[in-house]
Amino acid sequence: MKMTPALLIVGALMVFWASTFVIIGLPVMTMSDKPSEIWRPMTSAEREGHRLYVQNGCSYCHSLFIRINDWDIGAERIAESGDYVAQEPAILGSERTGPDLSQEGGEHSDDWHKAHFINPRYTSPISLMPSWEFLGEEKIRKLTAYIQALGWKMADVRVARQQQWKQQAVTAYESGADANIKWLHGQVPVVWRPMPNPYPASPAALLRGKRIYQEFCINCHGPIGDGKGPAASHLYPPPLDFTTLRRHLEANRYIGGIFYYQIMNGITGTAMPYFKKHLESEKIWDLANYLGVSFLGYTDANIGPRGIDASFEELWRNQYRPPSKTGE
Ligand code: HEC
Ligand code: HEC
């Protein structure tokens, strides 16, 4: 066949329409306008927060859809087109400089978000997210309302849990240091409370703990662990003053397992985040040793057996000792 200008144009148009069909036609045909089972309409404050999200280019760093290959926040549910009904414009974003936010609602307490928007370094000391303090209090409140709605009905359940626990946390905090410690430690399962730190508090481990503390905790709990980091004035209850835990030690020799459990899981209802997605197990034990040695002058490392395994607690409780080599 001879190449003519007419043929060239026809060919180019065919390629154009074929790719338009694949890129636009097919997705539109598979999309549904039907709300998904988690969808709900936005309130007016959430809607205004959504506008702020679009206007401020949050989507240059955050996406709003969970894919099958994701591990991060909310990864247990893959996004569906029905999650985005009546969102104008629905900007999904493709950059994931920051975490995906489509299930962000209820991940943190409202006061965490406020401190984080005013200055992300307050809650996440090495964050590169810009500060949004210039938006002012009212707009930050609306942005927070939108962020807390992300995940819709699934988020509502998490937000309700945050609020319920917040009431308890505030009551405990207002009842004084002893009552607060009692409440905080009451949240830790019984088997974790008498668990000593299985890793030695060697100088190297303490330095590792210090570094992790600086990267994740310092702007809430403060450089000397007194809970007076720059985030503190935005948080209620404020970050724990670790030195108050010296009271706990008067009647108790264990603190490692409590620290471990609280750092791993966070304290729902307060701004204390969970770190199980950021820190491996051994790093959390290093942190626990660092908190103890630096702020309490005490760690329970080496009271119990070294290293930890699945049956640790039972063996420790039963005073188990491995049989000697001769099999006695
Ligand atoms: C330059 C990139 C960038 C921009 C722009 C940006 N963020 Fe972020 N964001 C990040 C990074 C990185 C993190 C993770 C560290 C942290 O917690 O700050 C993050 C974290 C977050 C988190 C906490 C997620 C979690 O649970 O850990 C929220 C909520 C959030 N951003 C909302 C926003 C909103 C709303 C905007 C727009 C007003 C925005 N971000 C703009 C980079 C960005
Ligand atoms: C956004 C602020 C914030 C950050 C960041 C933060 N915390 Fe907290 N932390 C809190 C708040 C708030 C509490 C609870 C205070 C209360 O209810 O009285 C708390 C409580 C705790 C407790 C409970 C202690 C106990 O005996 O029950 C531990 C342990 C702790 N934080 C360790 C850490 C460590 C380690 C990091 C860093 C990996 C960290 N926190 C990061 C705010 C924060």
Side-chain angles (χ1 to χ4, degrees):
M1 199 161 44
K2 196 165 165 257
M3 185 73 90
T4 62
L7 203 60
L8 196 70
I9 290 171
V10 170
L13 281 176
M14 276 164 66
V15 172
F16 174 75
W17 286 117
S19 40
T20 306
F21 178 71
V22 171
I23 295 169
I24 298 172
L26 273 183
V28 167
M29 280 157 62
T30 54
M31 252 179 341
S32 103
D33 296 340
K34 252 189 39 217
S36 64
E37 80 287 357
I38 66 163
W39 185 86
R40 65 159 174 77
M42 279 191 260
T43 66
S44 65
E46 289 162 11
R47 203 168 283 286
E48 284 174 56
H50 176 237
R51 277 231 78 79
L52 289 165
Y53 186 92
V54 175
Q55 282 165 355
N56 287 283
C58 308
S59 54
Y60 289 117
C61 289
H62 291 286
S63 58
L64 282 175
F65 61 105
I66 298 281
R67 306 159 298 183
I68 204 151
N69 53 332
D70 284 330
W71 290 85
D72 211 352
I73 302 165
E76 67 272 13
R77 184 179 176 282
I78 313 298
E80 294 171 19
S81 56
D83 302 350
Y84 304 92
V85 173
Q87 271 190 48
E88 255 327 303
I91 297 185
L92 300 189
S94 57
E95 286 299 320
R96 289 172 193 245
T97 311
D100 182 276
L101 296 178
S102 58
Q103 286 289 342
E104 174 70 12
E107 269 285 305
H108 297 284
S109 59
D110 284 351
D111 56 353
W112 185 94
H113 282 295
K114 188 177 170 208
H116 182 247
F117 282 133
I118 289 174
N119 185 343
R121 262 67 56 201
Y122 285 174
T123 59
S124 324
I126 54 171
S127 175
L128 54 66
M129 176 164 144
S131 156
W132 304 95
E133 193 175 10
F134 68 89
L135 288 176
E137 200 156 310
E138 185 56 19
K139 286 187 173 164
I140 287 182
R141 203 179 53 73
K142 286 174 178 158
L143 205 49
T144 304
Y146 170 65
I147 294 293
Q148 294 290 46
L150 287 171
W152 316 120
K153 287 179 187 167
M154 283 170 83
D156 292 346
V157 175
R158 293 189 293 258
V159 169
R161 273 190 70 221
Q162 290 278 5
Q163 282 163 358
Q164 189 213 323
W165 286 111
K166 181 176 174 128
Q167 274 172 8
Q168 293 198 29
V170 166
T171 310
Y173 174 71
E174 290 176 352
S175 313
D178 287 325
N180 197 30
I181 293 169
K182 194 161 170 249
W183 179 78
L184 282 166
H185 294 181
Q187 307 292 89
V188 178
V190 180
V191 290
W192 282 89
R193 291 183 216 162
M195 190 182 301
N197 196 322
Y199 288 97
S202 64
L206 293 175
L207 279 177
R208 286 197 298 269
K210 180 176 185 178
R211 170 144 181 220
I212 304 164
Y213 186 80
Q214 289 169 342
E215 288 182 0
F216 291 95
C217 330
I218 194 163
N219 289 340
C220 279
H221 289 286
I224 54 167
D226 60 356
K228 295 199 171 67
S233 61
H234 304 289
L235 306 177
Y236 199 76
L240 193 73
D241 173 356
F242 291 123
T243 59
T244 60
L245 290 170
R246 291 189 185 140
R247 295 151 179 273
H248 165 80
L249 293 176
E250 283 163 16
N252 209 314
R253 60 206 277 253
Y254 300 113
I255 189 70
I258 293 177
F259 277 163
Y260 185 93
Y261 189 86
Q262 304 277 46
I263 298 167
M264 184 167 68
N265 296 302
I267 300 165
T268 312
T270 77
M272 172 69 191
Y274 63 81
F275 288 95
K276 57 186 153 200
K277 285 192 177 150
H278 293 85
L279 300 172
E280 296 92 333
S281 175
E282 194 170 349
K283 288 185 180 162
I284 301 184
W285 287 120
D286 285 345
L287 257 178
N289 270 328
Y290 173 74
L291 297 186
V293 171
S294 311
F295 307 136
L296 304 175
Y298 169 82
T299 174
D300 54 12
N302 287 337
I303 292 184
R306 274 179 67 167
I308 195 159
D309 58 53
S311 48
F312 176 82
E313 293 130 38
E314 274 316 302
L315 301 185
W316 167 236
R317 264 148 216 277
N318 297 338
Q319 300 292 309
Y320 172 86
R321 293 283 175 277
S324 71
K325 277 205 186 89
T326 54
E328 284 157 19

